[in-house]
Amino acid sequence: MTSLDCCVCGAPFGRDLGAVPLGPAQEAGLAGCRPCLRQLVTRARETRDSGLARNAEQVRKDSESWESVRDHCLAQLDAVRLAADEVAKLAGNEEVPPLRIAWLSISLESAHAWIPDVPKPPASVGPEDHLLTNAEMLMYSAMTTARGAVADRLVYHLINEAQAEEPEMCGELECPDDCSGRHDTSHVDCGPDAIFEDLLEHGVSIEEPGPAPLSPRVAALFAPRPEEPPPLFPGLAEQAMAALPHLGIDPGDPEVLLSAAAAGLAAEALLNDPLDVIRAAPGGPDDGDVFAQGVDLYRRARKALVAARDGGPERLGAFTAVATDLDLPWAGGSGFTLRAASVPVTDFVRNVEQQVWTTQELMRRQGWRDALLHRAVTGVFKATDHFGMPGWPAIVDAAIKRLASLDRQSAPAELTDLRAVETALLHEPDRLGVNALGWLVRHDLLG
């Protein structure tokens, strides 16, 4: 069975809307229209590209954070390695007393004990960092050499035998009264910095590693908060809430507000100087073309605004894609396309993009509801008689009454059945076609 309607938007296929088979077979299954498929492909690409951008940004942040942590750990390992090399040299110097060598050994062991465990890089950076592995091995090798050199000087024997009856270490260690005065290096904690001060007394200067970098979470607490962009229209909500009721719009009714905003956005696309230039040129759209296109853009604006509420301002791009499509025939069976216009349409396209951007930026800065209020005000002042506005049913009622009193012999056949005409005008005016709508506009029945 062949699909008769687009599986995405539900529009019927026909002369103006071709079908693109989606399978499972060329002649059977689902089908979609080109505008909908173009939007789906665009949305998929945007999702893919934004995902890649987020992943790349996360890898960059992880790499920067890891390099900071790695460099600090390398500095600690290198500092202790250099200290161990110097202690080994001093241990072989007969001019340095054995007791002093013992103290250097103790402070070196303390500095070594203060080195934290070598961190592991995040998965996004890589499984292993050879710089840290090599630095850790060199540091262990230097410590082994220093310990051997100190042991050759009988460090532990000399330091214990050289103590007085009231050992100096006992006061530092807060030993109990029955302490024998004999200690091991496991009892001593001089801190991570004492070794550098002790070596400095022997003319050896080693640059101490600085403090560890803050974790990204802690650093974020001290980072300056990004400045929020100023409101696009300060005081918009208060002013609109006060003005709209006097203009026939109830801002407390979500459906009325949404419809008025959609009408305002559609009006911004069609009721402007760039379109007036296109209409005045040979082959430009007539009254019926513009009216039918305005109805279609109203429906698309309404859907896009609802989508933007849940999916973000970027969803308004669907409205822009249709309103600026150069090859898409206008609604109501119109044969007009922007590419067929006899004058440039650059200003028209730029105006639509600018108006949609303004609505998107307003959503970002002030929220979805403020964007609706702004476009509802636009609808009141530029599209009072537009399809979707609260006063539209009254306009249709007046038009039907006047139509009944007119001589309709020259009118299009679509206007013969007044009941059908009224139903169409209330719900889908573009279903009457551009000829019938143009006739109604030219006879001042639809404003």
Side-chain angles (χ1 to χ4, degrees):
M1 296 179 64
T2 303
S3 295
L4 302 179
D5 301 326
C6 173
C7 66
V8 180
C9 67
F13 298 126
R15 180 174 63 86
D16 299 326
L17 192 65
V20 179
L22 300 179
Q26 183 74 15
E27 65 281 355
L30 299 175
C33 63
R34 290 188 181 278
C36 287
L37 296 181
R38 186 183 299 115
Q39 295 174 29
L40 290 175
V41 171
T42 301
R43 188 178 303 169
R45 288 174 176 170
E46 290 175 350
T47 301
R48 177 201 62 191
D49 294 344
S50 62
L52 292 175
R54 285 195 300 272
N55 292 340
E57 178 65 15
Q58 186 60 45
V59 170
R60 184 189 66 79
K61 291 181 178 179
D62 290 347
S63 180
E64 290 179 354
S65 177
W66 164 246
E67 289 176 0
S68 176
V69 172
R70 181 199 63 191
D71 292 346
H72 180 261
C73 186
L74 283 174
Q76 291 179 305
L77 293 172
D78 288 343
V80 173
R81 175 182 60 81
L82 293 174
D85 289 341
E86 295 299 330
V87 169
K89 293 178 183 178
L90 292 173
N93 186 349
E94 296 293 338
E95 296 181 1
V96 180
L99 182 59
R100 186 59 189 160
I101 295 297
W103 277 110
L104 290 174
S105 174
I106 291 173
S107 57
L108 175 63
E109 294 290 346
S110 181
H112 174 264
W114 271 82
I115 297 178
D117 294 337
V118 175
K120 298 293 183 182
S124 59
V125 174
E128 186 177 1
D129 194 311
H130 294 291
L131 287 176
L132 282 178
T133 304
N134 294 339
E136 190 176 22
M137 292 179 61
L138 291 175
M139 187 269 297
Y140 284 144
S141 176
M143 286 296 298
T144 301
T145 301
R147 287 164 179 161
V150 171
D152 288 342
R153 294 288 301 272
L154 304 177
V155 174
Y156 298 125
H157 171 74
L158 291 175
I159 195 173
N160 285 304
E161 293 298 326
Q163 293 297 327
E165 294 183 359
E166 296 182 358
E168 178 182 332
M169 288 178 62
C170 290
E172 295 291 335
L173 299 178
E174 299 181 358
C175 294
D177 295 336
D178 58 350
C179 177
S180 65
R182 303 181 65 85
H183 306 93
D184 203 333
T185 54
S186 60
H187 297 93
V188 182
D189 183 6
C190 304
D193 305 323
I195 182 62
F196 307 109
E197 298 174 1
D198 292 341
L199 288 174
L200 192 59
E201 296 179 9
H202 297 273
V204 178
S205 176
I206 297 177
E207 184 179 355
E208 299 181 31
L214 299 176
S215 68
R217 182 179 64 82
V218 176
L221 298 176
F222 296 94
R225 299 187 63 179
E227 295 185 4
E228 296 184 358
L232 201 60
F233 299 110
L236 169 66
E238 294 78 6
Q239 297 171 13
M241 291 291 288
L244 285 175
H246 299 288
L247 301 172
I249 303 293
D250 180 7
D253 188 326
E255 290 298 320
V256 170
L257 183 61
L258 176 61
S259 295
L265 189 56
E268 289 286 18
L270 295 178
L271 304 180
N272 49 56
D273 293 338
L275 184 61
D276 292 341
V277 174
I278 297 173
R279 294 186 64 180
D286 60 17
D287 294 332
D289 297 316
V290 175
F291 196 97
Q293 183 70 356
V295 172
D296 183 66
L297 289 184
Y298 160 79
R299 286 195 294 259
R300 295 182 185 277
R302 204 175 192 279
K303 290 181 180 179
L305 288 170
V306 172
R309 177 189 59 194
D310 303 322
E314 293 74 17
R315 293 297 182 89
L316 289 179
F319 174 82
T320 306
V322 174
T324 61
D325 194 310
L326 300 182
D327 300 307
L328 181 67
W330 280 19
S334 171
F336 175 75
T337 64
L338 290 174
R339 191 179 297 278
S342 57
V343 294
V345 298
T346 305
D347 289 342
F348 174 83
V349 172
R350 184 182 298 113
N351 176 73
V352 173
E353 292 175 344
Q354 177 63 33
Q355 296 300 333
V356 173
W357 178 88
T358 300
T359 304
Q360 290 176 322
E361 191 65 15
L362 188 55
M363 286 185 185
R364 295 187 185 99
R365 297 192 189 189
Q366 297 178 224
W368 184 76
R369 180 172 171 77
D370 271 20
L372 291 193
L373 291 171
H374 175 253
R375 282 307 171 203
V377 173
T378 302
V380 168
F381 287 103
K382 298 189 69 171
T384 306
D385 300 333
H386 199 285
F387 174 73
M389 292 295 286
W392 179 248
I395 294 173
V396 172
D397 183 64
I400 294 299
K401 291 178 180 178
R402 290 189 57 196
L403 183 61
S405 64
L406 293 178
D407 181 5
R408 301 194 302 280
Q409 291 184 358
S410 62
E414 293 85 355
L415 301 179
T416 303
D417 186 346
L418 294 183
R419 186 179 296 275
V421 172
E422 181 178 14
T423 301
L425 287 177
L426 286 173
H427 303 288
E428 296 179 282
D430 51 336
R431 184 159 53 87
L432 291 174
V434 294
N435 292 331
L437 292 174
W439 192 91
L440 293 173
V441 173
R442 288 191 296 273
H443 285 77
D444 295 327
L445 296 178
L446 295 179

